[in-house]
């Protein structure tokens, strides 16, 4: 069952999670003719993955309330194996995951209890947990301009400290939001909001001073949004949009 994916741009390798096989599949994307390289076994079904290229590690949130650390250093004797597991100290499966490179921490959501766990990415150790963040925890996104991690919930857009997980800001978007992506150069985000036909929209959001500056009704209720800086485009997947499943650019 294919799930999340990430690409190591320097090594030209794509990593794809597979919850059915409890594994990460590795593909060589150096050329248009993609080549399958290997499968990395995991100690449990994966939920989400994030790459820490400076540490040569892949962090994988698991359904077992843990985060697996996969060694990607070609010179290591544990190359492409799970070198460590870190308990989230939370109830239920670990969810969305993000890496904060400046502080070298990994943040992971715990949807069942509305919390976020912070992991020391260098030591591979549990560091802290932030609670009472709400329901329907969405994706986590690192924002380099203010060195913060942002999180959407049922009705709140949170700004979190990547060192502690503590809440630095709490903002109310125009409607309940799920997917979002950020453009550091423009200092903005695109939020996908709405659960009913009249509220399913995209909002352009100024990170600071934290406000919506425009709205679009051509697509909404997206659960996945990515921003590609090279293409200078947002790519939006909305499987439950009221006018039918849609892809937006």
């Amino acid at each position: 069952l294919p799930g999340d994916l990430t690409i190591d741009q320097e090594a030209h390798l794509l990593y794809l999670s597979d919850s059915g096989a409890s594994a990460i599949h590795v593909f060589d994307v150096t050329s248009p003719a993609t080549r399958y390289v290997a499968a990395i076994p995991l100690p449990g079904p994966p939920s989400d993955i994030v790459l820490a290229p400076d540490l040569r590690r892949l962090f994988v949130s698991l359904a077992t309330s843990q985060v697996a650390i996969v060694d990607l250093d070609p010179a290591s004797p544990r190359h492409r194996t799970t070198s460590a597991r870190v308990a989230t100290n939370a109830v239920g499966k670990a969810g969305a995951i993000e890496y904060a490179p400046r502080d070298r921490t990994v943040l992971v959501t715990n949807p069942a209890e509305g919390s976020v766990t912070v992991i020391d990415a260098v030591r591979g150790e549990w560091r802290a947990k932030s609670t009472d963040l709400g329901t329907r925890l969405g994706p986590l996104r690192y924002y380099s301009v203010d060195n913060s991690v942002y999180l959407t919930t049922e009705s709140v857009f949170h700004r979190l400290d990547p060192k502690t997980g503590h809440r630095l800001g709490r903002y109310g978007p125009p409607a309940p939001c799920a997917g979002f992506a950020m453009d550091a150069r423009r200092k903005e985000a695109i939020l996908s909001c709405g659960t009913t036909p009249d509220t399913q929209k995209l909002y352009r959001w100024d990170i600071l001073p934290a406000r919506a500056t425009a709205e679009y009704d051509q697509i909404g209720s997206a659960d996945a949004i990515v921003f590609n800086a090279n293409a200078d485009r947002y790519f939006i997947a909305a499987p439950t949009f009221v006018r039918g499943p849609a892809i937006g650019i």
Side-chain angles (χ1 to χ4, degrees), residues 33-200:
T34 301
R35 181 176 62 88
Y36 186 78
V37 176
I40 303 172
L42 296 171
S47 301
D48 198 8
I49 59 178
V50 69
L51 183 70
D54 56 325
L55 300 177
R56 293 185 176 180
R57 291 176 177 176
L58 187 72
F59 292 84
V60 186
S61 58
L62 303 174
T64 55
S65 306
Q66 296 175 312
V67 171
I69 303 175
V70 177
D71 190 337
L72 300 181
D73 185 354
S76 169
R78 305 202 66 179
H79 181 224
R80 290 184 184 156
T81 66
T82 299
S83 60
R85 286 182 285 177
V86 183
T88 59
N89 292 339
V91 175
K93 73 174 186 177
I97 194 167
E98 181 63 306
Y99 177 58
R102 194 177 305 178
D103 295 292
R104 289 185 161 182
T105 57
V106 168
L107 284 78
V108 57
T109 63
N110 307 300
E113 63 175 42
S115 68
V116 167
T117 293
V118 181
I119 293 170
D120 185 318
V122 177
R123 295 176 177 270
E125 298 175 350
W126 187 94
R127 177 182 285 187
K129 187 168 73 169
S130 180
T131 59
D132 300 322
L133 294 173
T135 58
R136 291 184 61 187
L137 302 190
L140 294 159
R141 295 285 184 267
Y142 175 72
Y143 184 55
S144 60
V145 175
D146 61 6
N147 190 39
S148 300
V149 174
Y150 286 78
L151 165 72
T152 56
T153 64
E154 174 73 26
S155 57
V156 178
F157 194 38
H158 296 285
R159 177 185 170 216
L160 305 177
D161 184 333
K163 296 185 293 295
T164 64
H166 292 166
R167 188 163 49 205
L168 301 175
R170 186 177 187 273
Y171 316 109
C177 295
F180 74 102
M182 311 180 84
D183 177 358
R185 184 173 66 84
R186 293 188 179 90
K187 301 180 181 179
E188 69 174 22
I190 292 293
L191 279 67
S192 173
C193 302
T195 55
T196 61
D198 59 325
T199 62
Q200 288 187 352

Side-chain angles (χ1 to χ4, degrees), residues 141 179-183 189-192 202 219 222-239 246-249:
R141 295 285 184 267
F180 74 102
M182 311 180 84
D183 177 358
I190 292 293
L191 279 67
S192 173
L202 294 181
I219 193 171
D223 60 0
I225 304 178
V226 296
F227 176 73
N228 185 289
N230 292 331
D232 197 25
R233 294 289 187 274
Y234 289 94
F235 297 87
I236 304 153
I247 297 291
I249 301 175

